Amino acid sequence: MLRLIVILILDYLEVCGTRLINHFFNQHEWPQPKIIGGYSTPYGAYPWQVELQANIGGWEHHCGGALVSETIALTAAHCLKNLKKSQLRILVGKHNLSKNDKHEKTYKIQKILVHPDFRKDGPHSHDIAVLKLHSANSKGVRFDSHVQPICLPEYHTNINEANWCTVTGWGAQKQDDMTSLSKVLQAASVHLIDLETCRHDDIYGGRHQFILDSMLCAGNLEGGVDACGGDSGGPLACQINGKFVLTGVVSWGDGCGKKNRPGVYTRVSYYADWLKQSIFELET
Ligand code: 4AZ
């Protein structure tokens, strides 16, 4: 009953970046080789996580994404490469890929906006896209205890205020085995790495893709904790002023979990204006 009241209040206030199911990392727990160096999550602890499936001779896991409103999800532009919108669908409330989850719902995609500069400044640049979900009732996704939107940052949001961030996905658990998808949603706690450090010669300096200001590096320079294939498009969520904010979108990296090769994410705050405009355009 109390839970129902909280949901009704959250729905009414359109609060983003909150959750009813908590997930605290126990640093002493033996790390399992998941996401890379992550943990299995409790169902509903990342209620903004969506699964993007592609139909390539049958529906299958393709990428992650993040729900930001009743009708809009964000993902990485590279996840949409060579696919028509009829070959894509979004699942919300997903937890275990080999089961029917209690709160899961599937949506077709009505419209896609890929960032106009995608790949303009290198192979992995401006890797962001906005998806409008198609639903029979025009209201879109119904939020519940296991399905909630994440907040978007403003251009000026100081993401360095976040003391910890979490990347989530069903992606590969071993970097040399891209087929080792996880059944249950995984989460790993990662540090934000400043651009200057990430551009060092022994990290991503002097490589084929320059680290742009529109990118964000996160992980562990020692290696061992990272996103990997199949996590792409999924959220890097940071807690800022008590709310989870979509700080990064899983984009690329040299392998997964390697020393001095952190994960590279699309820096969502950099796109705040484009996102506002695109979401407005798609919602109206
Ligand atoms: C990929 O192939 C991919 N370690 C995603 C994330 C990272 C590397 C590769 C970051 O989708």
Side-chain angles (χ1 to χ4, degrees):
M1 187 62 190
L2 183 64
R3 179 165 284 205
L4 181 66
I5 293 169
V6 173
I7 292 168
L8 289 175
I9 292 171
L10 290 181
D11 207 18
Y12 177 73
L13 296 173
E14 292 186 29
V15 178
C16 57
T18 56
R19 61 183 179 185
L20 295 176
I21 294 115
N22 279 319
H23 183 210
F24 298 109
F25 288 88
N26 174 1
Q27 301 299 342
H28 302 294
E29 203 176 308
W30 187 251
Q32 294 154 5
K34 305 289 176 63
I35 226 190
I36 300 273
Y39 300 95
S40 290
T41 61
Y43 184 26
Y46 300 88
W48 42 81
Q49 175 81 45
V50 304
E51 189 203 2
L52 183 65
Q53 292 188 343
N55 192 344
I56 312 164
W59 290 106
E60 56 184 53
H61 177 80
H62 187 58
C63 271
L67 192 64
V68 299
S69 78
E70 282 105 333
T71 52
I72 305 288
L74 301 194
T75 190
H78 84 256
C79 289
L80 309 173
K81 192 175 63 176
N82 302 333
L83 291 164
K84 289 183 272 192
K85 64 181 183 198
S86 60
Q87 288 174 285
L88 293 162
R89 65 183 191 184
I90 289 270
L91 280 79
V92 307
K94 213 44 222 144
H95 179 61
N96 186 332
L97 296 189
S98 60
K99 266 202 207 155
N100 229 324
D101 295 303
K102 190 162 172 233
H103 298 258
E104 79 173 61
K105 281 226 168 68
T106 305
Y107 294 89
K108 290 184 192 157
I109 290 165
Q110 195 179 328
K111 266 191 199 156
I112 296 178
L113 286 180
V114 171
H115 195 279
D117 293 335
F118 175 49
R119 296 215 157 132
K120 179 172 158 248
D121 300 307
H124 306 292
S125 61
H126 310 293
D127 192 8
I128 191 164
V130 186
L131 307 173
K132 180 170 185 175
L133 313 187
H134 181 87
S135 67
N137 73 338
S138 56
K139 278 207 71 181
V141 176
R142 225 193 134 76
F143 299 146
D144 67 20
S145 55
H146 291 63
V147 180
Q148 289 288 327
I150 190 166
C151 305
L152 282 175
E154 299 286 340
Y155 188 78
H156 298 288
T157 299
N158 182 7
I159 57 174
N160 296 323
E161 271 174 31
N163 43 21
W164 58 276
C165 301
T166 308
V167 59
T168 44
W170 290 274
Q173 301 168 30
K174 287 183 259 165
Q175 80 141 332
D176 39 14
D177 182 7
M178 290 301 192
T179 61
S180 62
L181 284 187
S182 168
K183 281 197 173 122
V184 167
L185 184 67
Q186 302 290 308
S189 188
V190 288
H191 303 281
L192 303 181
I193 296 166
D194 62 81
L195 288 171
E196 203 189 321
T197 305
C198 201
R199 287 170 181 153
H200 276 181
D201 285 352
D202 54 355
I203 304 181
Y204 284 119
R207 299 173 72 85
H208 69 296
Q209 170 72 73
F210 180 72
I211 300 294
L212 302 165
D213 290 349
S214 54
M215 296 175 180
L216 182 157
C217 301
N220 178 342
L221 292 179
E222 302 295 303
V225 189
D226 202 1
C228 202
D231 293 320
S232 276
L236 175 70
C238 304
Q239 241 182 338
I240 299 171
N241 296 329
K243 285 183 185 173
F244 286 90
V245 175
L246 183 65
T247 303
V249 172
V250 177
S251 177
W252 65 280
D254 172 3
C256 312
K258 294 204 281 194
K259 182 173 191 270
N260 284 346
R261 296 289 183 271
V264 188
Y265 296 76
T266 307
R267 185 181 291 266
V268 181
S269 60
Y270 186 91
Y271 297 96
D273 291 344
W274 180 75
L275 286 171
K276 255 183 217 159
Q277 198 188 318
S278 306
I279 292 169
F280 180 77
E281 203 176 305
L282 290 181
E283 277 182 340
T284 51

